[in-house]
Amino acid sequence: MSFRTTGPFHPVILDDVRGALKMLSGVARLTPMEGSRYLSGLVGSPVHLKCENLQRTGSFKLRGAYVRISGLRPEERAAGVVAASAGNHAQGVALASSLLGVRSTVFMPKGAPLPKVAATRDYGADVRLHGHVVDETLAAAEEYAHETGAVFIHPFDHPDIIAGQGTVGLEILEQCPEVRTIVVGMGGGGLAAGIAVGVKALRPDVRLIGVQAEGSAAYPPSLAAGRPVSIESPATMADGIKVGRPGDVPYALVEELVDEVRTVSEDELSSALLLCLERAKLVVEPAGASPVAALLSDPRAYQGPVVAVLSGGNVDPLLMQRVLRHGMAAAGRYLSLRLRLPDRPGALATLLGVLSVADANVLDVGHVRTDPRLGLTEVEVELHLETKGPEHCAEVGAALREAGYQVAG
C-alpha cells in the first residue's frame, strides 16, 4: 500500500511505520490508554484517551525526531542538526539528538515559555532565541542550516517524521483493537498523517477525524482548494497546532486518508483542558486537548469506541492559569456582577452573608464611589464569584434579587 505525495519525498507506507516502531523500541514509551467515564457518557459509547502527554519530553514529537535523525548518513550526523520550535518539537529534537550522539541547535522565539526553553537546554541542545513569531525563528534556523551544513529537522514535513508519529496509530490498534473512531489534533498534519497511514492500512473501517483550532485552521481551505494554502496570522492558545500552512507530504496523506477535519473554539479548548485536569487527572496542553474539545462540542457525532489522542502536556504554568480561568468561565463556573449598596457600615457584610447562604465563593470585591450616576449615599460593588456551574449562577442571582438587590451582569 503506497500513497502519492506532492513533494519530492518518497511515499510513506505501512512498512515505514512498522520499521519506525521497531526503531523506537526502548526509546519512546508505550503510553497508556485511559478510559473516560465522563466522555463515554456524553458520547454514548466507550471513549479512551491515548496519553502522549505522558511520553518522554511530554509529547509525541520524540517519535518522529528520533526516526528522522536515526536515518541521517554519518557525514550528516557529523554536521549536526538544527530545528525551530516554540516547545514540543524543540524538546523532541534535543533529546533524540542526545540519545544518538548528534549535536543539536534549536532556535526558539524570544517569547517562548521559560520552562520549555530550560527543558530543551537540559536535553542537550544549544538553544538560540530569535524572532518573536515562529516564522522568524524558522527562517533563522534555515539560514543557520545553509551557513553551517547542519541538517534541518522539519517538525512535520518529512516522511521519516510522519513514519515516527504513525507509531501512535499502531499502538492504538494494539491497545484498543475494537476502536471505530480516532480523533487527533492537527497543525501541520504530521501526526494525523502518520496515524492514518498505519491505521487505514490495517483497519480501513476506522474513521479518522482531525481537529484544528478555529483561529489556525489551514486544512479546511487547503482541502477545498485541493492543495496546501496559507492562512494569514494564525491565532490560538494551542501553540502546538498553530501552523499557517499544511506540509506538502502530510497534506497528501491527510487528503486521501483522513475522513473529516473539524474545528474547535478557544472556549471549547479551555473547557477540554479543564475537563482533562478535573476528570481524568491529566495535565494536557491546549493542542493536546483539542480532540476532547471536539468530543465536547458534538458528542453524538462519533461512533465508538473512540480514541482521543492527547498529543502533549507541555503547558506553561502561567498559560495554564489563564486557560483554567477561561475554561471555568466558559463552563459557567465564574460569575461577575455589579450591584448598588447603601454606603454605610455593615452593608457589605449583609451582602456577603446572602452569598454565603447561596454557597458562592467570593474571589474579589471592588468598590466604586466616584461614578456620577451613584447617589450621594450609594456605593457600587463589583463581585467576582466562583460557582458550581450555570444552574448555581442562576440560583445565586435569584437569591440576591430575593434579598432586595438589583443585580447587573
Side-chain angles (χ1 to χ4, degrees), residues 16-72:
D16 297 325
V17 183
R18 283 175 165 163
L21 189 62
K22 292 180 181 179
M23 188 180 297
L24 289 168
S25 177
V27 176
R29 293 178 180 141
L30 173 61
T31 51
M33 188 87 75
E34 299 287 344
S36 171
R37 292 174 57 189
Y38 181 79
L39 289 173
S40 297
L42 288 179
V43 173
S45 59
V47 174
H48 306 280
L49 307 175
K50 175 62 171 169
C51 299
E52 280 296 290
N53 59 309
L54 302 179
Q55 184 57 260
R56 296 178 72 177
T57 75
S59 87
F60 69 97
K61 289 290 190 177
L62 171 65
R63 297 173 183 265
Y66 189 90
V67 172
R68 173 76 173 97
I69 297 170
S70 292
L72 297 179

Side-chain angles (χ1 to χ4, degrees), residues 2-363:
S2 62
F3 311 104
R4 181 177 300 172
T5 65
T6 57
F9 305 116
H10 297 293
V12 183
I13 60 174
L14 176 61
D15 284 347
D16 297 325
V17 183
R18 283 175 165 163
L21 189 62
K22 292 180 181 179
M23 188 180 297
L24 289 168
S25 177
V27 176
R29 293 178 180 141
L30 173 61
T31 51
M33 188 87 75
E34 299 287 344
S36 171
R37 292 174 57 189
Y38 181 79
L39 289 173
S40 297
L42 288 179
V43 173
S45 59
V47 174
H48 306 280
L49 307 175
K50 175 62 171 169
C51 299
E52 280 296 290
N53 59 309
L54 302 179
Q55 184 57 260
R56 296 178 72 177
T57 75
S59 87
F60 69 97
K61 289 290 190 177
L62 171 65
R63 297 173 183 265
Y66 189 90
V67 172
R68 173 76 173 97
I69 297 170
S70 292
L72 297 179
R73 300 187 302 273
E75 60 272 22
E76 291 176 320
R77 292 194 184 199
V81 300
V82 61
S85 167
N88 289 347
H89 181 60
Q91 293 174 67
V93 168
L95 178 57
S97 299
S98 294
L99 293 173
L100 292 165
V102 177
R103 184 177 69 257
S104 65
T105 302
V106 176
F107 286 78
M108 303 182 75
K110 291 180 179 179
L114 293 179
K116 293 186 178 183
V117 175
T120 304
R121 287 193 172 119
D122 288 344
Y123 287 127
D126 174 16
V127 175
R128 304 190 181 191
L129 302 179
H130 184 93
H132 296 282
V133 296
V134 174
D135 287 344
E136 295 173 352
T137 308
L138 182 63
E142 291 176 332
E143 181 179 356
Y144 178 88
H146 178 73
E147 292 175 351
T148 65
V151 178
F152 179 65
I153 307 298
H154 199 282
F156 50 82
D157 205 10
H158 192 280
D160 290 346
I161 295 287
I162 293 171
Q165 321 304 31
T167 58
V168 175
L170 297 187
E171 290 180 7
I172 289 172
L173 294 183
E174 181 70 24
Q175 294 171 297
C176 184
E178 68 277 14
V179 62
R180 297 302 302 275
T181 305
I182 297 174
V183 189
V184 57
M186 290 174 58
L191 178 60
I195 290 175
V197 169
V199 170
K200 286 291 189 178
L202 298 170
R203 287 281 308 282
D205 60 302
V206 173
R207 185 169 176 81
L208 293 172
I209 298 178
V211 183
Q212 295 207 286
E214 286 179 354
S216 186
Y219 264 94
S222 296
L223 292 169
R227 58 181 175 81
V229 299
S230 300
I231 59 172
E232 294 185 5
S233 305
T236 176
M237 71 175 76
D239 58 354
I241 53 175
K242 185 180 176 182
V243 176
R245 182 186 184 278
D248 290 336
V249 180
Y251 171 81
L253 298 170
V254 168
E255 183 182 44
E256 182 175 352
L257 298 173
V258 172
D259 297 286
E260 183 182 359
V261 176
R262 290 179 168 242
T263 61
V264 292
S265 69
E266 299 297 283
D267 282 353
E268 289 164 343
L269 286 169
S270 298
S271 297
L273 188 149
L274 182 62
L275 184 144
C276 289
L277 188 62
E278 285 192 324
R279 299 286 184 142
K281 315 305 178 189
L282 292 169
V283 175
V284 183
E285 63 188 276
S290 58
V292 174
L295 295 179
L296 292 175
S297 68
D298 190 9
R300 296 294 173 170
Y302 305 90
Q303 183 179 10
V306 178
V307 172
V309 181
L310 307 183
S311 57
N314 292 318
V315 56
D316 178 59
L318 294 177
L319 175 62
M320 171 71 86
Q321 186 180 47
R322 293 196 299 269
V323 171
L324 289 178
R325 287 176 178 171
H326 190 82
M328 290 182 71
R333 300 274 294 279
Y334 283 142
L335 176 62
S336 297
L337 48 85
R338 301 187 312 277
L339 44 82
R340 294 183 184 184
L341 300 178
D343 192 8
R344 64 170 181 258
L348 180 59
T350 301
L351 170 62
L352 296 179
V354 174
L355 294 173
S356 176
V357 172
D359 203 21
N361 185 33
V362 179
L363 300 176

Side-chain angles (χ1 to χ4, degrees), residues 392-404:
H392 190 209
C393 287
E395 292 171 3
V396 172
L400 289 170
R401 286 187 290 272
E402 185 178 344

Side-chain angles (χ1 to χ4, degrees), residues 356-377:
S356 176
V357 172
D359 203 21
N361 185 33
V362 179
L363 300 176
D364 191 25
V365 179
H367 290 77
V368 177
R369 287 186 169 89
T370 57
D371 193 317
R373 293 171 297 178
L374 293 172
L376 184 62
T377 61

